[in-house]
Amino acid sequence: MILSSFRTTIMAGALACAGMAGPAATALARTSYDGTWSVLIVTRSGECERAVRYEVQIENGNVFADGGSASLQGRVAPSGAVRVSVSSGNQRAEGSGRLSRDTGGGQWRGQGSEGLCAGIWQADRRG
């Protein structure tokens, strides 16, 4: 089920303006949000999994998750504002919110295999 990947997106939904980490990202300066984050994604409405926890990486302000079948794009602004989008086949989700030094949170909504879903996300820095 892509919901796992779908959920990852959301925190990361939480996380920022768009753009995946890649060769162009290496030219950007490191940000105070870079590192490993644990994201809890909670569904408040719709037929998606009720709660899922994912690990995401932020590098040079770009948000990404290792592995999975979904495409995740996200960016954290210098202010901590984050926006992410994720898609896999005909399923997709968008998330937004804000990070502080070690925590963060926000909202997400999307289209899963069972219909529309929405909820919140909470993030904690790891390591």
Side-chain angles (χ1 to χ4, degrees), residues 18-31 34 57-64 74-76:
M20 284 188 86
T26 58
L28 300 175
R30 290 191 47 84
T31 72
D34 287 2
Q57 298 291 320
I58 300 175
E59 184 176 311
N60 298 324
N62 294 294
V63 180
F64 62 97
R75 181 128 181 90
V76 181

Side-chain angles (χ1 to χ4, degrees), residues 6-33:
F6 183 72
R7 297 297 191 130
T8 303
T9 191
I10 306 197
M11 156 47 181
L15 304 161
C17 294
M20 284 188 86
T26 58
L28 300 175
R30 290 191 47 84
T31 72
S32 60
Y33 307 105

